[in-house]
Amino acid sequence: MMEAVKMFSAELKAKSIEIYTKFPSEDVFVMGDHPRLLQVVTNLLSNSIKFTSRSQTKKITLSMKVLSREDKFVTLEMSIKDSGVGMTPDEQKALFERFAQGSNKTYQEYGGSGLGLFICKGLVRLMDGQISLSSEKWQGTTFIFTIRCEAVDSNQKIDAKVGSGETGPSAKPIDFSKLKVLIVEDNLVNQKVLKRQLDSIGVESHIASNGLEAVQQFSKNKYDLVFMDVEMPVMDGLEATQTIRAQELANTSLGHTPIVGLSGNARQEHIDVARSVGMDDYVVKPYSKEAIYTTLSNYCKEKL
């Protein structure tokens, strides 16, 4: 949860929102699905920031506790409580449905596609948990969700799946020829440059010129990674990412395809938004060949 807080630290400071945490006094060692958990927390925290920023009292509290221990499993309960505008009972009814917003007025004032909470619900279910909320108009909202994790011994070594690739003179050459990558980019020059870089290391790459084309190609092909431009016509990269994540939830056999955002905007709040909608990483333009190759080696390890 603290990783998500760190992602939004600049925005929280800029909007004068106080953040509080309540965690167990003793250490809890578990093994769970880190990418899915981070996406749920960033989605919920992003919502809380959005609806708290205009309140007189600006406060968000993140809590976690051990709900139960059973054999080799631990059930954790996490909550995000805010002092935002809150919701009426009618606004709460369909909140976890696909494309649902609290109301049309909510969409006009605060924006958003309404996919975020639908995705959160699906991700929590994939982690053997449940999600709910309690809210009162003008009194804030609390989202509560549970996840079931495997208990591990504090001395047990757990290998990270992402970000620990070998580098340096002794590193073995990497064979990228087994990878299939989707490039989603509306700029023709950028398309050609990135495709040429991928071609040079043997990566099979397909091109989509906007988010809608990306969604259509994703539904027909199995990709190892997607490079997704953030700002595009027809459908931008954020909406396309949310739609792809919704497809993955509807068909769990698809698994989780890494989506890496591409943008010339290096501001932290833009990076945070990209992560909150389901992007796994974010590369700032202009990017180097090394950055692309490192991204591939980090997120496609199992195929290399």
Side-chain angles (χ1 to χ4, degrees):
M1 295 183 86
M2 291 309 300
E3 185 176 350
V5 172
K6 186 177 180 181
M7 287 167 54
F8 289 99
S9 58
E11 186 175 359
L12 289 164
K13 184 176 181 180
K15 294 180 177 179
S16 302
I17 299 175
E18 296 180 342
I19 192 87
Y20 297 88
T21 57
K22 296 180 180 179
F23 297 141
S25 56
E26 75 282 359
D27 291 332
V28 180
F29 295 93
V30 297
M31 183 165 58
D33 193 326
H34 176 264
R36 284 172 175 164
L37 175 59
L38 182 60
Q39 189 177 346
V40 171
V41 176
T42 52
N43 260 303
L44 296 178
L45 184 55
S46 176
N47 266 354
S48 290
I49 292 171
K50 181 166 59 176
F51 292 108
T52 302
S53 59
R54 300 186 190 180
S55 301
Q56 287 186 337
T57 302
K58 299 180 180 182
K59 177 182 176 182
I60 297 174
T61 302
L62 285 76
S63 304
M64 183 185 76
K65 66 179 181 181
V66 176
L67 199 62
S68 65
R69 296 179 185 270
E70 180 184 356
D71 296 327
K72 296 181 179 180
F73 295 95
V74 176
T75 298
L76 301 176
E77 180 183 274
M78 303 183 185
S79 67
I80 298 180
K81 179 180 181 180
D82 66 58
S83 60
V85 296
M87 290 173 280
T88 65
D90 286 340
E91 289 174 329
Q92 297 174 43
K93 285 180 181 177
L95 202 60
F96 290 104
E97 300 300 320
R98 191 172 184 179
F99 300 113
Q101 285 277 6
S103 65
N104 288 332
K105 185 179 179 182
T106 300
Y107 175 80
Q108 293 167 1
E109 289 187 12
Y110 298 97
S113 66
L115 266 172
L117 294 177
F118 168 78
I119 290 174
C120 282
K121 180 180 179 181
L123 291 173
V124 168
R125 282 183 172 177
L126 289 174
M127 293 184 284
D128 293 326
Q130 297 180 331
I131 186 169
S132 61
L133 80 151
S134 61
S135 185
E136 188 176 341
K137 195 65 176 177
W138 311 120
Q139 299 298 317
T141 300
T142 301
F143 283 95
I144 301 173
F145 68 95
T146 60
I147 61 171
R148 191 168 182 252
C149 304
E150 183 180 346
V152 296
D153 187 89
S154 59
N155 296 317
Q156 183 177 342
K157 182 180 178 181
I158 302 173
D159 295 323
K161 288 186 177 180
V162 175
S164 57
E166 283 187 57
T167 59
S170 63
K172 296 180 181 179
I174 300 175
D175 180 9
F176 292 102
S177 62
K178 297 179 182 178
L179 301 183
K180 182 190 288 187
V181 169
L182 178 61
I183 300 169
V184 190
E185 169 68 71
D186 64 311
N187 184 289
L188 292 177
V189 174
N190 291 342
Q191 285 180 6
K192 291 178 180 178
V193 170
L194 184 50
K195 181 168 177 56
R196 191 179 302 122
Q197 291 174 342
L198 295 175
D199 287 346
S200 70
I201 55 173
V203 175
E204 179 185 349
S205 60
H206 297 176
I207 293 176
S209 297
N210 57 62
L212 181 58
E213 289 184 12
V215 171
Q216 292 170 343
Q217 290 204 43
F218 184 86
S219 64
K220 299 175 183 177
N221 297 278
K222 174 64 177 175
Y223 293 106
D224 299 297
L225 185 139
V226 178
F227 284 113
M228 180 81 73
D229 188 23
V230 174
E231 297 179 359
M232 294 179 291
V234 184
M235 179 187 288
D236 65 29
L238 301 179
E239 185 177 352
T241 298
Q242 287 186 308
T243 305
I244 287 172
R245 294 301 182 223
Q247 286 184 6
E248 291 175 338
L249 288 175
N251 182 3
T252 54
S253 66
L254 293 175
H256 176 91
T257 301
I259 299 177
V260 178
L262 303 174
S263 176
N265 198 323
R267 294 174 61 186
Q268 187 61 44
E269 52 263 43
H270 287 268
I271 298 174
D272 294 341
V273 169
R275 288 185 178 276
S276 73
V277 300
M279 288 186 175
D280 297 88
D281 211 337
Y282 189 97
V283 177
V284 178
K285 301 176 184 179
Y287 41 78
S288 65
K289 289 188 294 183
E290 289 72 21
I292 298 300
Y293 301 160
T294 299
T295 299
L296 288 172
S297 62
N298 283 345
Y299 287 96
C300 303
K301 276 189 172 185
E302 294 181 0
K303 290 277 306 255
L304 299 176

